[in-house]
């Protein structure tokens, strides 16, 4: 007999609740830099991806407002119909110039861009070889493209080589996050580039968390590994993280970009990004390129956090990026820790499976150039306090599940 989907959903939800994996959104009512008002009180946020503090920067917001006044709120059509605007061109040119590549192509989001890249280059017979900790959008991209998906142990070039060797006769893409979104470490890009070259595989780097933050002029993971478009023909840049805006671009080899533009379904069958959003991104890219001080402040804040955490006896992961996770293990432990921090005025997100592997729930602390030394020190004190409180069973009850994403 056909199963009823209502019953299936009810059972799945009950199981998630029993495992402390229920996810609940919280509504922010006001935002002022790293300060967020939620449920009627202000918290200092250590959970956004606005690493350079550009999301509310006045030139970025002005650019959005000016363009919206002229061009309106929407994209009005897809790029290949009549939605492609001169502002999109200007942003694509600026991105290509910044990243030292021939071309850039805008997408509605990084998720869609990843779907587009895998689907446009790989078919049923081909293989996509991926790091085990790659972002969900890359995993989904391979599943939807219908190609074989082979995963290798995290940051293990030998493992990537073994996977590529096991399917010697197919078209192949080697795909990796540049900066891993939940761990904060950087992929071994130079080693992967050598393997991709000898194996005739296309190396694709999803640099959602690297661009704007790492490398000269903030050009990201690939540039900081001193690699060019010959070694990494395509990479993903997101506009919604360090650039504080929304959308994404795939940048790299001109022929590959043209192929995407002509064939990728997540490019063709969707409305163009609003020009006003592109204008905001363009202003943000110019600031990210020019204002080195934002990266310097960020580096200083990260170092202050790491030194202070080690002094207080915390064990950190091997990350020098703004993503600084604290492993907690069990879901309930991570949730209780986050609750205890909130009681001290901080918003840090507890990340649980399936976003991270079983038993690897964590606090994902993210640092911004907007955090002052006082913010960092106050968080460190709150972390030490919360560790003791949680150790004594503070907040470690099942109803902690109700308040976190
Ligand atoms: C956030 C993220 C994406 C998705 O980008 P959006 O623009 O938010 O859709 C893709 N890859 C990685 C590694 C990310 O962190």
């Amino acid at each position: 007999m056909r199963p009823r989907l209502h019953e299936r959903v009810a059972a799945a939800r009950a199981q998630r609740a029993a495992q402390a994996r229920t996810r609940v959104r919280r509504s922010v009512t006001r935002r002022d830099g790293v300060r967020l008002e939620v449920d009627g009180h202000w918290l200092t946020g250590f959970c956004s991806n606005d690493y350079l503090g550009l999301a509310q920067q006045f030139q970025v917001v002005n650019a959005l407002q000016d363009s919206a006044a002229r061009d309106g709120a929407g994209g009005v059509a897809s790029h290949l119909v009549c939605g492609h605007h001169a502002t999109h061109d200007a942003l694509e040119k600026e991105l290509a110039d910044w990243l030292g590549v021939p071309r850039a192509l805008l997408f509605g989001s990084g998720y869609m861009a990843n779907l587009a890249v895998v689907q446009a280059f790989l078919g049923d017979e081909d293989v996509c070889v991926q790091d085990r900790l790659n972002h969900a959008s890359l995993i989904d991209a391979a599943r939807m493209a219908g190609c074989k998906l082979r995963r290798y142990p995290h940051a293990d070039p030998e493992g990537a080589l073994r996977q590529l060797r096991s399917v010697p006769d197919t078209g192949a893409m080697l795909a990796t996050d540049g900066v891993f979104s939940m761990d904060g470490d950087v992929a071994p890009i130079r080693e992967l580039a050598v393997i991709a070259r000898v194996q005739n595989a296309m190396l694709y780097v999803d640099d959602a968390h690297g661009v704007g933050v790492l490398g000269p002029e903030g050009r990201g993971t690939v540039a900081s590994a001193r690699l060019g478009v010959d070694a990494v023909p395509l990479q993903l840049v997101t506009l919604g993280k360090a650039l504080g805006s929304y959308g994404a671009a795939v940048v790299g080899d001109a022929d590959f970009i043209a192929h995407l533009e002509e064939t990728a379904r997540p490019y063709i069958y969707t409305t163009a990004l609003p020009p006003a959003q592109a204008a905001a991104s363009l202003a943000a890219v110019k600031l990210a390129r020019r204002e080195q001080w934002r990266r310097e402040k960020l580096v200083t804040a990260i170092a202050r956090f790491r030194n202070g955490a080690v002094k207080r006896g915390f064990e950190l992961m091997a990350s020098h990026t703004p993503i600084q996770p604290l492993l907690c293990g069990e879901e309930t432990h991570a949730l209780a820790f986050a609750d205890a921090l909130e009681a001290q005025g901080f918003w840090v997100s507890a990340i649980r499976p399936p976003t991270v592997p079983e038993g690897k729930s964590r606090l994902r602390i993210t640092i911004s150039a907007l955090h002052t030394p006082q913010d960092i020190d106050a968080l460190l004190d709150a972390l030490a306090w919360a560790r003791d409180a949680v150790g004594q069973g503070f907040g470690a009850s099942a109803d902690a599940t109700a308040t976190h994403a």
Side-chain angles (χ1 to χ4, degrees), residues 72-327:
V76 307
S78 66
H79 284 280
L80 294 177
V81 177
C82 62
H84 190 68
H85 193 280
T87 311
H88 297 128
D89 274 332
L91 174 56
E92 288 179 349
K93 289 221 169 63
E94 180 77 19
L95 284 166
D97 183 64
W98 179 30
L99 301 171
V101 295
R103 269 202 73 187
L105 188 70
L106 291 177
F107 282 85
S109 72
Y111 189 100
M112 292 216 295
N114 277 343
L115 298 189
V117 167
V118 180
Q119 179 191 101
F121 295 98
L122 300 181
D124 295 356
E125 300 302 312
D126 300 321
V127 67
C128 191
V129 171
Q130 299 204 17
D131 189 292
R132 189 158 277 290
L133 294 189
N134 274 356
H135 191 260
S137 58
L138 277 172
I139 307 294
D140 293 357
R143 287 183 181 149
M144 289 188 214
C147 61
K148 296 184 195 78
L149 169 61
R150 297 283 166 82
R151 299 166 84 180
Y152 57 87
H154 178 52
D156 176 11
E158 295 288 325
L161 181 59
R162 269 196 305 278
Q163 291 290 26
L164 283 164
R165 279 193 176 138
S166 72
V167 277
D169 302 320
T170 65
M173 181 184 292
L174 174 52
T176 182
D177 285 14
V179 173
F180 288 89
S181 54
M182 296 299 138
D183 290 57
D185 58 334
V186 176
I189 307 263
R190 288 187 71 81
E191 290 86 342
L192 293 173
V194 171
I195 287 163
R197 186 166 36 123
V198 299
Q199 286 287 316
N200 252 333
M202 179 206 288
L203 179 57
Y204 177 51
V205 176
D206 172 346
D207 209 20
H209 295 278
V211 162
V213 172
L214 301 179
E217 255 197 343
R219 294 204 301 267
T221 311
V222 174
S224 81
R226 298 186 309 282
L227 293 175
V229 73
D230 45 337
V232 185
L234 290 179
Q235 46 175 316
L236 175 73
V237 177
T238 53
L239 303 170
K241 289 174 179 158
L243 294 164
S245 179
Y246 186 78
V250 177
V251 307
D253 179 86
D255 285 330
F256 283 162
I257 295 288
H259 181 65
L260 276 174
E261 183 182 7
E262 291 158 15
T263 68
R265 298 170 71 87
Y267 184 73
I268 296 171
Y269 299 107
T270 192
T271 301
L273 202 66
Q277 199 66 55
S281 298
L282 179 59
V285 170
K286 287 180 174 165
L287 288 167
R289 290 185 79 164
R290 191 169 67 224
E291 299 193 332
Q292 184 63 28
W293 63 265
R294 292 180 187 271
R295 276 179 290 279
E296 283 160 12
K297 275 192 77 179
L298 188 53
V299 165
T300 306
I302 294 166
R304 191 177 186 96
F305 173 79
R306 288 186 66 85
N307 290 336
V310 168
K311 247 185 232 141
R312 288 166 178 81
F314 284 102
E315 235 176 90
L316 295 173
M317 293 174 70
S319 162
H320 64 274
T321 68
I323 302 166
Q324 294 291 330
L326 274 184
L327 272 185

Side-chain angles (χ1 to χ4, degrees), residues 26 61 66 78 146 152 157 217 346 403:
R26 308 185 70 192
V61 176
D66 285 353
S78 66
Y152 57 87
E217 255 197 343
F346 297 93
T403 52

